Amino acid sequence: QKDGTAKLIYTAPTTVAQDTPVVLFSAVVGGNTSQVSFTVRPNARPAVIVGLTDVPTNLVTGTSVTINPANVRYQDQYGRTSTFDKAPSGYTVKVTTSAVGVVSLSGETISTTATAGTNGTARLTFEIYNGTTPVPNSQYSVTFNVVKPGDVATYTIKDIGLLNGNSDTHEANTRDIVLEGKLANGQTVVVNNSVIKSVAVADTSIATVVTRAGINGDIYSVEAVTGAATKADAKTTLTVLIEGAEGPVVVTKEITVSYQPAKAVKIEVDPEITVEVTDNTSTGAIQTAIAAAKEFVITDQYGVETNPSASDILLTNIVKEDSKIVKVNATVVKDGLAATTVVNVVE
């Protein structure tokens, strides 16, 4: 450089098969030397399945549960945990059952639907595949218990959450009525919706009931009746009549409808993220890349998650190397809330 300084720049290969040590060494006239050592590591890959998320393992005969990639947790070779919907391309999970008569599967790979047959137990085994090759020691097994309808001791309705009745905003204005059973030991069990004989809302000026077909029978939903933002929150009672093993069972749930516009109540982001851009001399391109990466998650009072647009992202503490931006602080401000992360920028 004109000021007498010099720089060595190393660009790592796209992929390496194993840990690769690299040494950058410099020597100048007069005998001064300098060096730095580092290691280029292979790209992260799924190594072992470590569990399931939000997958019930107690089922009444005749019911089904769908297992999606987002329900399967894995660790990579560096010990970091993620879900399989974020796994690198080329990797899949195959599922097998130890007892087809107890729990049958709609397909080998996730997404798959597990359907309960006769009562008993079955072990479902999940294994990672790289293309057509199984990943050694990647298996995870879990036991599914299938019970008879008469084994359900009590019924409950899962929390419905705040319903959005605002005339101008329609997300979260409808929520499914999810019926859960409890066994005598208190464990939750998936039940057939066919045990529901009727569903009613006490005040239909606040909410109404709608139905659609589902894998375990008709799915009932409660839908907010829209109104102006000047209205106060309204409450009413949902009543579900169930045909239990020993006669009719009535289960009630209070529901609340709000008419306020959606407003952020939480902004989440990891402390440090990396985004890839085609032009890292442009702050606008970096803002667009951050928005596209969907690292910031904004949650409103109705539980709806969204991501910021590029115009919502403010960049500060910009660090450049050779006129190219390599690191920034990115802040999203929404409805009085703010979240900041360190962003590493790469081409």
Side-chain angles (χ1 to χ4, degrees):
Q1 304 293 327
K2 291 182 179 179
D3 61 1
T5 63
K7 181 184 297 184
L8 293 176
I9 299 176
Y10 173 80
T11 301
T14 304
T15 183
V16 293
Q18 59 189 14
D19 284 2
T20 304
V22 177
V23 179
L24 295 185
F25 178 83
S26 68
V28 297
V29 176
N32 291 327
T33 63
S34 179
Q35 73 177 50
V36 61
S37 303
F38 52 89
T39 300
V40 180
R41 310 195 72 177
N43 295 334
R45 62 183 185 276
V48 60
I49 297 172
V50 294
L52 302 179
T53 300
D54 297 327
V55 176
T57 55
N58 294 316
L59 309 176
V60 167
T61 55
T63 59
S64 300
V65 293
T66 299
I67 305 169
N68 293 308
N71 300 126
V72 180
R73 293 188 298 117
Y74 75 89
Q75 283 186 348
D76 62 23
Q77 75 270 38
Y78 303 119
R80 299 174 300 186
T81 302
S82 185
T83 50
F84 225 83
D85 55 322
K86 301 174 183 175
S89 61
Y91 287 88
T92 58
V93 173
K94 289 191 176 182
V95 190
T96 56
T97 176
S98 66
V100 176
V102 178
V103 176
S104 61
L105 304 173
S106 64
E108 267 194 333
T109 59
I110 52 172
S111 302
T112 189
T113 299
T115 300
T118 59
N119 58 295
T121 61
R123 287 187 68 78
L124 266 60
T125 299
F126 299 77
E127 185 173 20
I128 300 173
Y129 273 69
N130 181 5
T132 59
T133 304
V135 174
N137 304 313
S138 66
Q139 291 185 344
Y140 173 83
S141 294
V142 61
T143 298
F144 276 59
N145 301 303
V146 179
V147 301
K148 301 184 295 294
D151 293 329
V152 180
T154 59
Y155 292 91
T156 57
I157 301 171
K158 285 188 69 173
D159 185 43
I160 290 175
L162 187 66
L163 284 166
N164 184 357
N166 183 270
S167 298
D168 299 323
T169 313
H170 300 291
E171 284 188 291
N173 69 325
T174 302
R175 291 264 170 69
D176 289 345
I177 301 168
V178 180
L179 189 66
E180 286 186 332
K182 296 281 188 180
L183 301 176
N185 60 9
Q187 292 184 349
T188 300
V189 59
V190 177
V191 297
N192 270 311
N193 291 349
S194 58
V195 299
I196 299 177
K197 294 307 172 186
S198 67
V199 179
V201 173
D203 189 341
T204 55
S205 69
I206 297 173
T208 58
V209 176
V210 294
T211 62
R212 70 181 191 279
I215 61 173
N216 294 320
D218 285 346
I219 295 175
Y220 296 83
S221 301
V222 60
E223 182 176 304
V225 176
T226 58
T230 54
K231 294 181 67 173
D233 286 2
K235 297 180 184 293
T236 187
T237 301
L238 175 70
T239 301
V240 179
L241 176 63
I242 299 165
E243 184 177 320
E246 298 181 1
V249 177
V250 176
V251 183
T252 61
K253 192 82 170 180
E254 184 179 73
I255 57 176
T256 303
V257 175
S258 174
Y259 304 95
Q260 298 305 305
K263 180 179 180 180
V265 295
K266 182 171 61 176
I267 305 177
E268 297 174 289
V269 67
D270 288 336
E272 187 168 330
I273 63 175
T274 299
V275 298
E276 187 172 338
V277 298
T278 55
D279 178 10
N280 63 351
T281 63
S282 164
T283 56
I286 294 171
Q287 288 168 312
T288 299
I290 294 171
K294 298 183 178 179
E295 294 278 1
F296 285 93
V297 179
I298 302 170
T299 306
D300 65 26
Q301 76 269 40
Y302 301 108
V304 176
E305 294 182 353
T306 56
N307 304 110
S309 62
S311 60
D312 296 323
I313 299 170
L314 174 66
L315 303 183
T316 58
N317 295 350
I318 298 174
V319 179
K320 294 183 178 181
E321 289 184 1
D322 297 331
S323 77
K324 294 185 176 181
I325 300 171
V326 295
K327 184 176 289 189
V328 297
N329 284 3
T331 302
V332 169
V333 179
K334 193 80 170 179
D335 296 328
L337 300 178
T340 300
T341 185
V342 176
V343 180
N344 301 298
V345 183
V346 298
E347 277 190 307

